[in-house]
C-alpha cells in the first residue's frame, strides 16, 4: 500500500514525535509529573484520527466516560486503527527521545525545557489541529484515573 503525500507528511517520525512531545507537554502542564508512556502513545494515535479529533470536547472538564458513551465511534475507531497507528507513532517517539526533546525516566516521559516551543503556530490548519488534540489528550486522558481503565474504555489493551 502506497501512502499519499499528505499521509507521508503526517506519518513521518518527526511529526509523530512532535505529537508525542505535545502529549507530554499537556500532561506536564496539568499534572507536573512525568507522563506515562501509554498516555503519549494513545494521545498521538487518537489525535491522528480525524473522526476522533472532530469529536473531542472543547474542555478537559468533560468526563471521559460520558464522552465515550456519547461517541461510540471512538471505541470502534481505536480498536480498528490503534495497532496500525501505534506502528507509525513508535518511531516518532523514538525520534523525540533520540533528539532529546523529551526525557525518559523509570516513571515516565518529561519534556526537555525549550527543546520544542509550547506554542503551536506553524504548519497547516490540519497539522496545528492534530498537535492541539495531542496536547489536550495528554492532559485529559489521565483525568479519569486508572490508565488501564482508560485504555480499556477506549477499546485498546493496556
Amino acid at each position: 500500500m502506497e501512502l499519499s503525500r499528505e499521509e507521508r507528511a503526517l506519518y513521518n517520525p518527526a511529526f509523530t514525535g512532535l505529537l508525542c512531545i505535545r502529549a507530554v507537554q499537556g500532561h506536564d502542564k496539568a499534572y507536573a509529573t512525568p507522563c506515562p508512556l501509554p498516555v503519549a502513545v494513545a494521545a498521538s494515535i487518537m489525535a491522528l484520527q480525524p473522526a476522533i479529533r472532530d469529536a473531542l470536547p472543547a474542555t478537559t472538564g468533560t468526563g471521559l466516560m460520558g464522552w465515550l458513551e456519547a461517541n461510540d465511534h471512538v471505541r470502534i475507531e481505536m480498536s480498528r486503527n490503534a495497532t496500525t497507528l501505534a506502528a507509525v507513532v513508535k518511531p516518532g517517539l523514538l525520534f523525540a527521545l533520540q533528539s532529546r526533546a523529551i526525557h525518559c525516566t523509570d516513571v515516565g516521559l518529561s519534556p526537555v525545557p525549550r527543546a520544542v516551543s509550547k506554542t503551536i503556530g506553524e504548519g497547516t490548519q490540519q497539522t496545528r489541529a492534530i498537535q492541539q488534540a495531542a496536547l489536550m489528550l495528554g492532559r485529559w486522558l489521565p483525568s479519569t484515573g486508572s490508565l488501564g481503565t482508560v485504555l480499556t474504555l477506549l477499546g485498546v489493551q493496556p
Side-chain angles (χ1 to χ4, degrees):
M1 178 180 92
E2 189 169 327
L3 296 176
S4 70
R5 184 178 191 189
E6 183 178 345
E7 288 172 324
R8 282 193 305 273
L10 294 178
Y11 295 167
N12 76 71
F15 185 70
T16 58
L18 179 59
L19 296 181
C20 292
I21 294 164
R22 294 295 183 209
V24 170
Q25 287 175 333
H27 187 278
D28 184 64
K29 183 176 182 180
Y31 304 99
T33 61
C35 177
L37 180 65
V39 169
V41 174
S44 300
I45 290 169
M46 291 176 75
L48 282 168
Q49 298 181 72
I52 294 175
R53 203 171 52 248
D54 293 344
L56 289 174
T59 70
T60 56
T62 302
L64 181 65
M65 291 180 16
W67 176 77
L68 284 170
E69 285 178 21
N71 294 280
D72 306 2
H73 71 281
V74 170
R75 184 179 245 266
I76 294 166
E77 295 292 329
M78 286 298 286
S79 62
R80 183 183 311 153
N81 301 323
T83 302
T84 302
L85 288 174
V88 171
V89 169
K90 287 178 184 178
L93 176 62
L94 182 60
F95 182 79
L97 289 164
Q98 289 175 333
S99 301
R100 295 191 173 103
I102 53 177
H103 177 71
C104 185
T105 67
D106 291 345
V107 291
L109 304 167
S110 299
V112 173
R114 294 179 294 282
V116 173
S117 172
K118 292 181 181 180
T119 304
I120 300 170
E122 293 186 24
T124 66
Q125 182 178 1
Q126 180 185 29
T127 59
R128 289 191 311 269
I130 295 169
Q131 288 180 67
Q132 289 167 339
L135 186 73
M136 183 266 203
L137 287 160
R139 290 191 313 255
W140 190 46
L141 288 177
S143 68
T144 298
S146 163
L147 190 54
T149 301
V150 170
L151 294 175
T152 300
L153 288 170
L154 289 171
V156 296
Q157 295 208 341

